[in-house]
Amino acid sequence: MKKSLLALVTGTAIASGGYFIAQQGANNNNLAHLDKVPADTLFLWSQLKSFPYLQYLDVLPDTLKNVDDINNFVAVMQGQEIDSNTQFLLNILDKYAESLKSSKQFTSTWGVNSDFQALAYSIGLLPVFRAELGDPQVFKNTVINAAKEANIQYEDTNIDGIPVTKFPIEQEGQKIVDLLVAIDGKWVTVTFDTPINDQNDLQIALGLKAPAKPLSSTDKVQRYTQEHQLDGHAFAYLDTRLLADMLTAKDPQSKSTQMLDKILALADSENALDSVRNPSCQQDFSDIANKWPAIITGTQEYEFSSSHADIKVSSVIASTDTKVLNALKNIRGFLPQHTQSDSDAMLALGIGVNASQLSPSVNTIWAAFASAQFNCEPLAQLQTQSKDANPAPLAMATSMLGTLKGVSLTVFDANIADLVRVDNTDLSAVDMLLTVSADDMLALFNMAKSFAPDLSGLTLPADGSAIEINQYLPPDYQSTAPLFLALKGQHLTLYIGKTAQQTADALSTQTVTANGLMNFAVNTDKVMPMLLKAAELSGEPITDDMAELLSESGKLHFSFDTTDRGIVTDITIKVENQ
């Protein structure tokens, strides 16, 4: 039982070691700090260039700092029977949430300065967090106070001339791991001393010894940032090839494989991975991972001032699998220009899909997996099961969509009080545009009419003139303002409201081309007051969180697409501090 508990706690410490680092850090323009990072680190998080984090912290709304989520989690856990180790963690989380209230509190809690460096990585499975702070002693004192409040004993010691504070994590009087906080000049290092690492690993983690091959001796970081157009201010990656090799023990001498073996031994599960630890699975897993080598994320651009923050972050599931990527690219459809970036619209959603290529592309992806030569038994079994899933019915379902290339829905403005009434929904309270785009939109519309007999006599003017269709509204949906239907070039538009009409007219000059898979945008200036009004109308009490949202101003734009470099997600956030 104790061995299982020891393995579980050790694994948990490894898995959660990087939590705190995700919100902070900044680096100089050089990569010298990568000298201490092993080239075979499973992951890297870093700020490779200067980043005004403290300024960003003051502009960022509290709701985007997840302060309430942390506080709620701490409150729920405090209401349960917990041990001193859990209390220690909760104390740190509580201090972290409190420090996020302002840059001044963050500095006084963690000892940071206006432009500090930070990075996180792994030595095998041992997580390491390093940061250059204005006053590292402040950071250590905060952790010590959290330990004292949880009745956790700690020990100040020295390892090869570097002051180290050990915080033992125990269970039933048995030490599971040591949490270590070490200070070397202005640098603070947080790591663990566990049953799965040796003294050499610990020396590398504390920066006392250089790794046999440092990450700085490779071009991985530079290559990833250049290939994916990242600016280097914030950068992270997860190496899926090394993960696959670790699970299959392709290199039994690798540090991550050795540490995983020790975890399995502590849990009395030495044979848990035997089914994939053979030459056949090692090769098959490696082949798959080589085609999907990494998950990469980082900033592409940012701009800060005392009153606003604009930041664009791109995440890529990197791939060289041209067959799958080409199939996904063939599915790409048309996204209207007004969904391509943040705007004054309340909400905007665009889905681009080439209906004529949906079934062939799915068939291509399915066939690629079904026909692959797997010698690894678990993969072969999965492949056999997949053959029972026949994607052919999809061809029948999509054949009726003809030349469809995309749909979009945009709400420019809305009055929730007038939109939702007791007797019916009044569409005149909304400024909204619905679009359907196709190579031959008129033919698609005429086909769609065959499924709606009430619309059989409806004829769309070819010159783009709009016709009012209020008479076709169902009983529960009425409007005192005209609802229009119009053919604008290759786009069928259904709209109500002035802004929607202007946007619909602009579609006439937009040619249907493959430009993406999905766009989503939200403007909190308009959405939040509407949500508050909806809460009032429902009679539900307005929470402090909801009231706080009203004081925040911002826009978010999300896009999802497939390119030659992989599956890409871009997020742009604009925040104004009112």
Side-chain angles (χ1 to χ4, degrees):
M1 176 66 181
K2 287 186 177 181
K3 290 180 71 177
S4 297
L5 178 62
L6 186 64
L8 175 62
V9 174
T10 302
T12 301
I14 289 168
S16 61
Y19 171 81
F20 182 76
I21 55 91
Q23 298 293 329
Q24 39 194 324
N27 276 17
N28 292 328
N29 293 340
N30 60 70
L31 302 179
H33 54 283
L34 299 183
D35 291 343
K36 298 181 183 295
V37 181
D40 60 354
T41 177
L42 294 174
F43 71 92
L44 172 72
W45 174 91
S46 181
Q47 298 284 356
L48 301 180
K49 297 180 182 179
S50 279
F51 190 84
Y53 181 77
L54 295 179
Q55 186 179 26
Y56 172 64
L57 187 65
D58 284 334
V59 176
L60 194 68
D62 285 345
T63 51
L64 293 183
K65 300 174 187 175
N66 296 322
V67 172
D68 291 331
D69 291 337
I70 297 174
N71 288 336
N72 291 337
F73 173 76
V74 171
V76 170
M77 293 298 297
Q78 294 282 19
Q80 304 177 18
E81 185 176 346
I82 57 177
D83 58 18
S84 57
N85 299 325
T86 304
Q87 187 62 59
F88 182 28
L89 173 61
L90 294 179
N91 291 344
I92 291 178
L93 289 177
D94 186 55
K95 294 178 186 300
Y96 175 64
E98 185 69 18
S99 72
L100 290 176
K101 290 183 177 179
S102 70
S103 59
K104 184 177 180 180
Q105 283 186 254
F106 197 82
T107 299
S108 63
T109 302
W110 305 110
V112 304
N113 52 16
S114 60
D115 190 21
F116 64 103
Q117 303 180 57
L119 64 158
Y121 49 93
S122 70
I123 298 170
L125 291 177
L126 186 69
V128 181
F129 166 62
R130 287 173 46 80
E132 186 178 37
L133 307 177
D135 189 348
Q137 190 64 42
V138 172
F139 181 98
K140 188 176 80 169
N141 289 342
T142 295
V143 180
I144 288 176
N145 289 335
K148 287 181 177 179
E149 293 166 4
N151 295 318
I152 293 286
Q153 300 300 315
Y154 65 92
E155 175 190 359
D156 285 320
T157 184
N158 188 288
I159 298 178
D160 292 349
I162 295 181
V164 177
T165 303
K166 294 184 177 182
F167 300 87
I169 307 301
E170 300 178 347
Q171 180 68 35
E172 298 179 356
Q174 178 182 356
K175 184 173 72 173
I176 308 299
V177 298
D178 278 327
L179 171 67
L180 306 182
V181 177
I183 295 177
D184 183 13
K186 291 292 185 179
W187 283 88
V188 63
T189 300
V190 180
T191 188
F192 297 90
D193 190 6
T194 76
I196 67 170
N197 66 269
D198 56 31
Q199 189 64 21
N200 185 66
D201 301 327
L202 192 58
Q203 289 180 320
I204 296 175
L206 295 176
L208 298 171
K209 291 180 63 175
K213 182 179 181 181
L215 185 59
S216 57
S217 68
T218 74
D219 68 344
K220 181 179 288 187
V221 171
Q222 298 93 322
R223 178 163 45 84
Y224 282 163
T225 53
Q226 292 172 6
E227 287 179 352
H228 304 290
Q229 292 84 53
L230 305 176
D231 63 13
H233 288 281
F235 171 78
Y237 72 80
L238 176 68
D239 195 316
T240 54
R241 286 176 295 194
L242 291 175
L243 282 175
D245 290 349
M246 176 189 70
L247 291 173
T248 61
K250 185 176 182 180
D251 179 7
Q253 302 306 311
S254 77
K255 183 60 63 175
S256 58
T257 299
Q258 291 177 348
M259 288 187 177
L260 179 58
D261 288 344
K262 290 179 181 179
I263 292 177
L264 294 175
L266 288 170
D268 293 326
S269 301
E270 292 92 337
N271 302 321
L273 296 174
D274 283 357
S275 62
V276 296
R277 289 190 162 183
N278 53 69
S280 296
C281 288
Q282 289 166 355
Q283 186 61 52
D284 286 348
F285 272 77
S286 180
D287 290 343
I288 294 173
N290 282 332
K291 291 183 178 181
W292 300 85
I295 300 174
I296 303 156
T297 186
T299 52
Q300 287 190 321
E301 57 186 70
Y302 78 91
E303 179 183 344
F304 292 111
S305 74
S306 59
S307 61
H308 82 279
D310 296 349
I311 185 168
K312 182 177 181 180
V313 178
S314 182
S315 298
V316 184
I317 302 176
S319 178
T320 59
D321 193 331
T322 55
K323 182 176 291 187
V324 172
L325 289 181
N326 287 336
L328 291 173
K329 285 192 294 182
N330 286 339
I331 299 175
R332 297 171 79 239
F334 174 78
L335 298 168
Q337 188 173 0
H338 63 272
T339 70
Q340 294 288 345
S341 62
D342 64 89
S343 65
D344 290 331
M346 179 181 291
L347 292 167
L349 172 65
I351 299 176
V353 56
N354 186 343
S356 64
Q357 289 298 315
L358 187 57
S359 179
S361 294
V362 172
N363 279 326
T364 297
I365 296 172
W366 176 79
F369 179 73
S371 62
Q373 296 297 317
F374 290 131
N375 296 313
C376 177
E377 184 59 29
L379 289 177
Q381 290 179 0
L382 183 62
Q383 185 183 55
T384 300
Q385 294 173 4
S386 73
K387 291 179 179 179
D388 295 333
N390 187 355
L394 182 63
M396 297 178 60
T398 57
S399 62
M400 295 184 295
L401 299 178
T403 61
L404 176 71
K405 290 298 187 294
V407 296
S408 77
L409 173 65
T410 305
V411 179
F412 296 98
D413 211 344
N415 186 324
I416 190 66
D418 293 336
L419 180 62
V420 181
R421 294 178 174 176
V422 177
D423 51 347
N424 58 46
T425 298
D426 186 359
L427 294 179
S428 62
V430 85
D431 193 336
M432 178 184 69
L433 169 64
L434 174 67
T435 73
V436 181
S437 303
D439 288 334
D440 190 345
M441 190 62 244
L442 187 57
L444 185 61
F445 175 70
N446 289 331
M447 182 191 69
K449 287 195 301 181
S450 64
F451 296 95
D454 292 344
L455 302 179
S456 59
L458 195 61
T459 302
L460 287 177
D463 63 359
S465 300
I467 56 175
E468 185 179 328
I469 61 167
N470 292 50
Q471 58 182 313
Y472 296 100
L473 288 173
D476 292 337
Y477 292 86
Q478 298 299 317
S479 177
T480 56
L483 177 67
F484 292 108
L485 186 68
L487 185 63
K488 303 292 184 179
Q490 294 177 286
H491 317 278
L492 179 68
T493 62
L494 176 68
Y495 60 88
I496 185 170
K498 182 178 179 180
T499 305
Q501 179 179 352
Q502 294 172 347
T503 308
D505 290 341
L507 281 167
S508 299
T509 59
Q510 295 183 36
T511 304
V512 170
T513 56
N515 60 6
L517 288 170
M518 187 177 76
N519 286 329
F520 173 74
V522 59
N523 186 334
T524 59
D525 286 342
K526 294 184 175 181
V527 170
M528 298 311 175
M530 188 182 73
L531 293 178
L532 180 59
K533 187 64 178 179
E536 291 178 351
L537 292 173
S538 68
E540 295 291 332
I542 301 170
T543 65
D544 292 338
D545 293 344
M546 180 65 75
E548 183 181 336
L549 283 172
L550 289 176
S551 64
E552 298 169 0
S553 175
K555 299 176 181 178
L556 178 144
H557 186 268
F558 168 93
S559 68
F560 177 75
D561 203 357
T562 300
T563 69
D564 290 333
R565 51 196 173 96
I567 301 173
V568 183
T569 300
D570 291 332
I571 299 177
T572 301
I573 300 175
K574 294 186 177 182
V575 177
E576 294 182 6
N577 193 0
Q578 296 180 335

